[in-house]
Amino acid sequence: MSELKEIINQTSFTKSDIVTMLSAKSENQKLLFAKSKEVKEREVGKKVYYRGLVEFSNICSKDCYYCGIRKGNTNVSRFNLTDEQIIQAAEFAYKSSYGSFVMQSGEIQSPAFTLRIENLLREIKKRTNDELGITISLGEQTEETYQRWFDAGAHRYLLRIESSNRELYQKLHPNDSDHDFQKRLDCLYTLKKIGYQTGTGVMIALPFQTLEHLAEDILFMKEFDVDMVGMGPYIEHADTPLYEYRHLLMPLRERFELALRMVATLRIVMRDINIAAATALQAIDPIGREKAVKVGANIIMPNITPGMYRNSYKLYENKPCVDEEPIDCVQCLDVRIQLADATIGYGEWGDSRHFERRNNKSDSL
Ligand code: SAH
Ligand code: SF4
């Protein structure tokens, strides 16, 4: 088996190479992080792009075993922002020169929901002079729905595969047609076919998950030729079925370190994609996202959901910044990014270089 210092200089990687990178400790981990930083700065530069994130509703029709806002959790008070509140959040992102805006919620499949989002997308485009990039993350939908939202102005979509291993996926979800692995995979291919910049991701350090699973996830992302990735540590939530298996979990600090190694390894393997520093990193370490920026991430999604609703969008425990208002985040983040030896791409869409190269586009800034 090759040594880590040889592996990180390769241009193609086997599953076993990736497992070696993910297992790197102490001096080897430093080598891995130095390499991923070098690759990031060479391939995508030092800029970090902001995506103002509004988590506009925690109403969800699904029952994923890991998630705090799953339908079966009756301890959550459900909320749904008004259209005007969502549009105001988009205007806030625009005025703050965030360049891009992300709308995320629980999963609802209905004609009324499709129409609501379609109208919102058109209105946001209009009120922000067609200048604000829009990413959506609204779960599994039909091809027709994805197409309508694309035509209305969304150009990026985030749909995590959660785990690319079918058996592990099944352990994390109810065994029914609403939580079907193949369906999720098909959705990702449909999104790509329509022309979205397609983002996926996984949770890291889940119960039952091995380093081999995570290596397969990285190979899956490479094979799918994904444009963007958002991935972060799994954090248990007491009101979910998976909580029962918490004795199988690594300590939080180890989960965090493994998540950083996943970011670094993915940067080395995929080079020019956009990688988001997940908010879940910050639930473990107060400067977790900045640490991810140092080792390869180039996207941060500041939460711009109005403060009073943040406490109810708790996918996991210890979610950070639930007491703050959007304006507090702007100032806080600016300082943090400078500490991470990066600059902020204000007012730019910050499309993934990978997507631009893939489509040979020059007009996407
Ligand atoms: N309903 C949409 C979007 C909201 S959930 C969807 O499921 O795609 C967004 C992401 O939160 C999920 O993809 C999942 O990876 C993450 N998530 C949910 N519960 C989590 C937990 N307990 N720890 C860490 N991440 C979690
Ligand atoms: Fe709903 Fe998404 Fe949570 Fe699953 S992960 S329960 S789809 S919000």
Side-chain angles (χ1 to χ4, degrees), residues 118-135:
E118 188 177 28
N119 289 338
L120 271 168
L121 289 167
R122 290 196 198 283
E123 189 59 26
I124 290 167
K125 278 279 168 199
K126 203 161 74 192
R127 292 228 217 151
T128 59
N129 304 320
D130 250 349
E131 286 173 12
L132 190 67
I134 308 182
T135 306

Side-chain angles (χ1 to χ4, degrees), residues 280-294:
L281 290 163
Q282 203 190 338
I284 302 181
D285 183 320
I287 53 165
R289 289 184 302 183
E290 292 71 18
K291 287 183 178 170
V293 166
K294 272 196 161 171

Side-chain angles (χ1 to χ4, degrees), residues 46-52 92-101 131-133 156 298-300 302 304 326-338 342-351 365:
K46 277 194 174 193
K47 270 189 195 163
V48 169
Y49 298 99
Y50 283 173
R51 316 270 183 246
F92 174 83
Y94 180 55
K95 285 192 201 114
S96 311
S97 296
Y98 279 179
S100 277
F101 178 60
E131 286 173 12
L132 190 67
R156 306 190 187 107
N298 67 329
I299 302 288
I300 288 203
I304 56 168
I327 192 71
D328 304 328
C329 300
V330 180
Q331 287 144 5
C332 165
L333 264 164
D334 284 2
V335 176
R336 285 158 167 269
I337 293 306
Q338 285 155 25
T343 56
I344 302 159
Y346 275 122
E348 296 174 56
W349 277 17
D351 282 341
L365 264 184

